[in-house]
Amino acid sequence: MSKNPNAPAGTFHPVSAPDFLPLPQLRALQLQRLKQIVERAYERVALFRQRMKERDLTPEDVTRLEDISKLPFTVKTDLRDTYPFGLFASPMQEIVRLHASSGTTGKPIVVAYTREDVQVWTNVMVRSFAACGLHEGDIIQNAYGYGLFTGGLGAHYGAEALGATVIPISGGNTQRQLMVMKDFGTTAICCTPSYFLHLIDQAEEEGIRLKQLPLRAGVFGAEPWTESMRRRIEADSGIKAYDIYGLSEIVGPGVAMECECQAGPHIFEDYFYPEIVDPKTGKPLPDGEEGELVLTTLGKQAMPMIRYRTRDITALASDTCDCGRTLRRIKRISRRSDDMFIIRGVNVYPSQVETALLKVEGALPHYQIVLTRERDLDVMEVQVEVTPEVFGDTVGALEQLQQKLSRSIESTVGVRANVRLVQPRTLQRSEGKAKRVIDQRKL
Ligand code: DLL
């Protein structure tokens, strides 16, 4: 295990203690919190109360943890349909922070935090960093984006509360990232795994030897990655690469994090209750079986999420991890049960791209999104058919349209796309569901 030479041997940060609770104690705590959160949501969130009533349920029907499976699911479109604040369970005066993430169309989904929620988030982020061996004295370069995305601020407050030194560099500007890493003596970096691969490439080009720098750990997440990517990162940079999982609807990063055994992220179960269900039927599946991860926030005040369907496909591992944590782990998330894809850390739904295209006159609703990776950076090309009139237009007019479409996509989706205009009826038609996304990135 990689330990900072300055760290006192064998110590755990005090907030890591809940990671090691004996199971009966952990389950009792979960039940107590589940009852409270169901009561809170029932009293304060109209949609949840209505769904409970439709099922003839009241909060008193939750007496055991297993009763959770009686409760209604919450899905992403519930956030869209109640946009922006409809699922809040706290008055605005108590809400100290808002973040947002991609919705399925042009509007984002909004998530809220009370002061206490921010403290819980910070707590799980401290535990995340501690789990992979980081501590006071570490210099953490936080290259997750700061802003509405939860990655930047989530990791920031956690790293500060850990007692580490945070470099709030945010995403992008690769040369500056490398300069800072070298000059400031960064010992750990937080970013998406694909961005770190890009940093490795760029470092090589600039003659910077990552292996000779103090950098020893990476906290990588926000997008799917694989064991072979981990091996490549570790071999090429000499650091340990850890998987961190999270989603805005639940809290942001810090729902689950790998320990030094690197055997899959441990879910911070005292705050997030996990279930795996069959994505088609919604029926609960036992630990070990693959299905859709469903999460219930056990402590969230501003926006309790009851049985939130993450659409992430994984399995729960309940066997004991060598680290001694009693928290169950999730298997690497390899795919989703919906059509969302993640490009440069940004979540994108094809329907958002469609909305953006159709805002511009001349574009037809026939399009295809091709994803590739150039020098370890994701590239999105949108091929779109245009009306015959447009296609017969001058080169200048076509270029103008191309730029308009590109701008429309960037402002709706938040990522730049190369737009390619094609003649009407040239994109392949499908007999069933249109195949909108061709992912040629070899993960
Ligand atoms: O990506 C929060 C986050 C920030 C996690 C920084 C980790 C690090 P969203 O933008 O709401 O939140 O996207 C959530 O990203 O449902 C997964 O599909 C995907 N995802 C997040 N972490 C991982 C991971 C943040 N470690 C969505 N492996 C989730 C695979 C991940 N997919």
Side-chain angles (χ1 to χ4, degrees):
M1 291 185 197
S2 59
K3 279 258 183 291
N4 181 316
N6 302 323
T11 51
F12 285 111
H13 199 281
V15 290
S16 305
D19 296 7
F20 300 91
L21 275 184
L23 278 183
Q25 237 171 294
L26 176 60
R27 299 288 172 248
L29 178 66
Q30 287 173 321
L31 177 60
Q32 180 209 332
R33 288 185 174 164
L34 176 67
K35 287 180 177 171
Q36 284 167 357
I37 209 73
V38 169
E39 209 171 285
R40 184 178 181 88
Y42 188 84
E43 277 167 13
R44 297 174 177 230
V45 183
L47 181 73
F48 181 67
R49 188 169 50 248
Q50 176 204 326
R51 288 195 179 149
M52 288 285 278
K53 285 191 169 153
E54 282 163 14
R55 284 166 179 73
D56 234 353
L57 289 172
T58 66
E60 285 71 52
D61 290 307
V62 179
T63 59
R64 305 163 311 150
L65 264 182
E66 300 78 68
D67 292 333
I68 197 168
S69 61
K70 297 183 199 161
L71 303 176
F73 289 120
T74 308
V75 293
K76 188 133 181 170
T77 45
D78 292 334
L79 283 109
R80 182 195 66 195
D81 297 343
T82 55
Y83 175 86
F85 302 156
L87 294 185
F88 290 7
S90 299
M92 218 54 193
Q93 299 90 291
E94 288 171 21
I95 288 172
V96 299
R97 180 106 62 86
L98 299 175
H99 279 283
S101 172
S102 306
T104 47
T105 54
K107 296 267 193 203
I109 55 133
V110 183
V111 295
Y113 307 76
T114 62
R115 202 171 294 282
E116 205 181 325
D117 293 337
V118 172
Q119 277 161 6
V120 168
W121 189 10
T122 301
N123 170 291
V124 290
M125 279 309 298
V126 170
R127 288 158 67 187
S128 298
F129 287 130
C132 70
L134 300 179
H135 43 66
E136 216 176 86
D138 268 305
I139 300 179
I140 302 182
Q141 184 162 336
N142 185 14
Y144 283 124
Y146 282 65
L148 288 178
F149 177 54
T150 52
L153 287 183
H156 181 100
Y157 283 106
E160 254 184 29
L162 180 77
T165 308
V166 196
I167 309 173
I169 191 161
S170 195
N173 202 338
T174 308
Q175 277 184 337
R176 191 175 53 171
Q177 297 277 357
L178 289 170
M179 176 190 77
V180 162
M181 188 183 286
K182 205 165 108 219
D183 296 350
F184 296 10
T186 301
T187 59
I189 184 157
C190 303
C191 61
T192 57
S194 59
Y195 187 62
F196 191 70
L197 280 175
H198 181 65
L199 279 173
I200 293 178
D201 275 0
Q202 194 70 28
E204 199 177 287
E205 203 150 281
E206 290 182 26
I208 298 172
R209 296 218 172 134
L210 291 181
K211 285 186 182 160
Q212 287 174 358
L213 301 184
L215 189 71
R216 69 170 206 285
V219 179
F220 300 133
E223 65 182 13
W225 55 309
T226 56
E227 274 311 302
S228 61
M229 241 165 113
R230 164 148 48 206
R231 280 195 296 274
R232 191 174 142 205
I233 287 175
E234 294 192 343
D236 291 357
S237 67
I239 71 167
K240 287 273 176 199
Y242 297 100
D243 193 6
I244 185 164
Y245 170 79
L247 62 161
S248 320
E249 296 88 319
I250 297 302
V251 78
V255 172
M257 171 67 188
E258 269 187 336
C259 66
E260 286 179 278
C261 303
Q262 296 180 305
H266 288 275
I267 299 188
F268 294 110
E269 284 198 64
D270 48 329
Y271 286 119
F272 315 113
Y273 189 80
E275 296 170 85
I276 296 289
V277 305
D278 180 319
K280 290 213 179 76
T281 63
K283 286 235 167 64
L285 296 172
D287 286 359
E289 271 187 44
E290 193 177 87
E292 181 181 335
L293 179 65
V294 170
L295 290 165
T296 298
T297 56
L298 296 177
K300 200 109 171 283
Q301 302 297 301
M303 208 171 133
M305 279 286 133
I306 312 284
R307 302 195 85 206
Y308 184 71
R309 306 269 310 239
T310 66
R311 303 291 170 195
D312 289 320
I313 304 291
T314 180
L316 286 175
S318 50
D319 56 321
T320 334
C321 181
D322 288 345
C323 70
R325 281 179 177 72
T326 47
L327 308 168
R328 280 174 287 179
R329 284 162 288 139
I330 44 172
K331 243 185 56 185
R332 234 176 229 295
I333 288 159
S334 53
R335 58 196 171 91
R336 292 179 52 88
S337 67
D338 64 5
D339 55 2
M340 187 185 96
F341 58 92
I342 302 179
I343 179 149
R344 280 175 254 142
V346 179
N347 303 349
V348 182
Y349 288 90
S351 47
Q352 285 177 289
V353 174
E354 183 171 310
T355 309
L357 292 175
L358 296 180
K359 274 186 202 156
V360 179
E361 205 178 328
L364 293 169
H366 297 294
Y367 64 96
Q368 204 153 47
I369 302 164
V370 182
L371 307 175
T372 50
R373 203 160 257 184
E374 278 170 27
R375 299 195 60 232
D376 290 318
L377 274 190
D378 293 333
V379 177
M380 168 161 76
E381 181 181 87
V382 178
Q383 303 168 350
V384 57
E385 290 183 11
V386 290
T387 56
E389 302 77 58
V390 170
F391 214 81
D393 234 329
T394 61
V395 175
L398 285 173
E399 269 170 11
Q400 246 179 18
L401 177 63
Q402 207 169 14
Q403 278 164 16
K404 246 193 197 164
L405 288 166
S406 186
R407 273 199 302 272
S408 180
I409 294 173
E410 192 169 355
S411 68
T412 312
V413 176
V415 253
R416 198 187 304 262
N418 302 328
V419 173
R420 189 144 72 88
L421 307 181
V422 298
Q423 289 198 40
R425 274 187 281 280
T426 45
L427 292 177
Q428 202 182 354
R429 302 291 193 260
S430 140
E431 285 176 2
K433 236 164 118 64
K435 188 160 172 48
R436 297 296 190 196
V437 185
I438 300 176
D439 197 341
Q440 296 172 338
R441 298 173 294 183
K442 301 228 165 19
L443 275 187

